[in-house]
Structure formats: C-alpha cells, structure tokens
Amino acid sequence: MSRQFRAGDRALLIDQKKRRYLVNLRPGGQFHSHAGYVEHDQIIGAEEGATVRSTKGSPYLAVRPTLADFVLKMPRGAQVIYPKDLGPILMLADIFPGARVLESGVGSGALSMTLLRAGAEVTGYEIRDDFATRARNNVAAFLGEEALARYRIEVRDCYEGIDLRDLDRIVLDLPEPWQVVKHAELALHPGGVLLAYTPSVVQVMQLREALDASRFDLAETVEVLSRSWHVEGQAVRPDHRMVAHTGFLTHARLLGG
C-alpha cells in the first residue's frame, strides 16, 4: 500500500506545540491558521511523516489520522464516546468479526466506526435523522464507502422495542438504558452481551436494578481513568491534568431459561 497522500485523503497536521488539525486534501486547497497557510498540493504526493511549511515558515508534521484522532476531530453534533472508553467497550462487549451488533444512541458515529473496524455487522437505532446522517458520513469518511455494507441505521426509538432477533451484542449510549433491558432479553441469544455507557452513577444504579430483575447475570460496572505522564530527561512525573471521569461501562450476559 502506498503511503503517499492522495487527493481525497485526510491528513492530520501537527504543529510544534503538538496541536492537531484534520484536513481533507483537495487540489488547490489551503489549510489556514494563525501561522499563515499550507497548500494542500504540498501534501498531496508526499510520504506520510513529511514536514510541510506554512507561508510564514511554520513546520507541520503530516500523518494519517488514527481512529482516535478522527473521533476527536470529526464533525459531530452529539458528544462522542472518548477513545479511552472505546477500546474497553470492544473488550467488555467481546466484539468479534461478524458479530451481529445493535447499537442504539448512534450520535456522531464514533462507536459505530469502532465496532465496524473490529469487523462487526452493525444496526443502529437513532431517534434523530440528522445524527443518523452525520454518523453515516463520518463512517464513510474514515472507513470508506465499503464499510456501509455492514452498517444500517434506522431512525427509531429503542425504548419502544427491538425487531431484530438472535443478536450477539447490544451496545447502548442512551439516557435510560434500563428501558431497553426487557427488549434486549428478546433480541439477544442466550450468552449474548449487553453493554451500556452511562455518564451518571444514578443511571448505573437504575440499570443494575433492571438487570437484577431480568435474565441477565454476571453484571459488572467499571470506570476507565486515563493518566498521561510527563517524560523529559530525568524529569518524570504524572501530568498535572488527566482524563478522569467520562462515563461508566456496565455489561452483563443473557442467560437461558
């Protein structure tokens, strides 16, 4: 695979202060900042990792965005699930290639593209048509149009029921996931996994109560904290800032009977 940038690719430009800018490359295009502008034609045809300079001489490192980079910089309306939670969701929900997954609360598509990249076949339930459109566009922008063959969004309310059956996994990013538990019992096959992302501990409590009264078992709730470190020569210490609470991840398995 060629690592040269082509027209239509996305490039991540990183300045000397490590600020990141997502650019959709097009012939004749320009990226503008306080440091002047960079011609897209400088980047098109260059190898990944090249350094380009603005009209004022400021250098920018040009690389392809990772999934985490794209999630944080992509167009969005709803708040996205952050990369620090997306990885654990794949493990806790046990997402595998070919898994039939229902995702509800699609938002801007950050979780959708993470599930699709892991090889799942995803059906999304989203109550807002504008969010559904943005999610499709973001998935196609990062994963390519071919990913849409494994991605279908229905504009509907998951609280009112799930038409699908024999699902492997259900992943929720909804204000009241406990309303979905009774529907998930019908939609999942025995052994299937339900996972919900919830910002509030009160939401966790209500969800766990609903799970305790259902055929789900092996429930667990975790919170993922991410702390980076400052490393400069012999000066090594935790950074003063860290990404602490974003949400709780609650998962459980459906048992037969």
Side-chain angles (χ1 to χ4, degrees), residues 98-253:
R100 297 181 64 238
V101 180
L102 172 69
E103 177 196 357
S104 189
V106 168
S108 300
L111 179 55
S112 297
M113 62 184 68
T114 304
L115 296 169
L116 289 163
R117 199 182 196 194
E121 298 176 5
V122 180
T123 298
Y125 282 8
E126 172 57 56
I127 61 172
R128 289 186 51 169
D129 188 64
D130 57 333
F131 283 4
T133 299
R134 181 177 288 112
R136 286 191 197 95
N137 291 340
N138 283 336
V139 165
F142 188 76
L143 298 179
E145 294 286 339
E146 59 274 14
L148 297 179
R150 295 184 287 112
Y151 188 46
R152 179 169 59 91
I153 303 181
E154 298 180 21
V155 178
R156 57 178 294 174
D157 189 343
C158 196
Y159 297 156
E160 296 178 356
I162 300 171
D163 291 342
L164 302 170
R165 293 294 181 266
D166 202 35
L167 289 170
D168 296 303
R169 308 290 184 256
I170 294 177
V171 183
L172 307 173
D173 179 12
L174 299 170
E176 300 179 3
W178 52 90
Q179 291 197 41
V180 182
V181 171
K182 61 181 180 293
H183 305 313
E185 288 183 293
L186 299 174
L188 284 167
H189 62 66
V193 176
L194 169 72
L195 182 142
Y197 173 90
T198 49
S200 161
V201 72
V202 176
Q203 292 169 302
V204 171
M205 293 167 60
Q206 290 184 261
L207 174 58
R208 291 296 294 265
E209 287 178 0
L211 290 171
D212 288 344
S214 72
R215 291 193 291 118
F216 284 94
D217 202 351
L218 306 175
E220 181 184 27
T221 298
V222 300
E223 178 186 22
V224 179
L225 306 180
S226 176
R227 183 174 73 175
S228 60
W229 281 64
H230 171 86
V231 180
E232 187 175 344
Q234 298 299 307
V236 180
R237 55 168 173 74
D239 281 330
H240 296 308
R241 292 185 176 184
M242 66 177 290
V243 181
H245 177 74
T246 48
F248 299 99
L249 305 178
T250 299
H251 60 101
R253 299 194 72 175

Side-chain angles (χ1 to χ4, degrees), residues 58-71:
S58 296
Y60 290 87
L61 176 67
V63 296
R64 296 182 190 278
T66 64
L67 177 57
D69 293 323
F70 188 76
V71 163

Side-chain angles (χ1 to χ4, degrees), residues 1-115:
M1 176 181 175
S2 171
R3 299 311 299 174
Q4 289 184 340
F5 288 105
R6 297 177 298 179
D9 286 351
R10 279 169 173 73
L12 191 72
L13 300 184
I14 306 174
D15 68 14
Q16 289 179 301
K17 293 185 177 180
K18 306 302 181 185
R19 290 174 295 203
R20 300 172 180 225
Y21 307 91
L22 188 64
V23 178
N24 188 11
L25 298 175
R26 53 185 175 82
Q30 296 175 338
F31 163 71
H32 288 259
S33 74
H34 65 283
Y37 62 87
V38 175
E39 298 281 359
H40 289 196
D41 291 336
Q42 284 190 66
I43 306 169
I44 296 172
E47 294 284 339
E48 182 173 2
T51 296
V52 296
R53 292 186 177 274
S54 72
T55 51
K56 292 184 179 180
S58 296
Y60 290 87
L61 176 67
V63 296
R64 296 182 190 278
T66 64
L67 177 57
D69 293 323
F70 188 76
V71 163
L72 294 175
K73 296 294 184 181
M74 69 185 186
R76 65 198 201 201
Q79 177 65 51
V80 299
I81 297 178
Y82 279 87
K84 79 175 185 68
D85 294 311
L86 291 172
I89 285 173
L90 292 182
M91 295 300 294
L92 294 174
D94 189 37
I95 304 301
F96 57 89
R100 297 181 64 238
V101 180
L102 172 69
E103 177 196 357
S104 189
V106 168
S108 300
L111 179 55
S112 297
M113 62 184 68
T114 304
L115 296 169

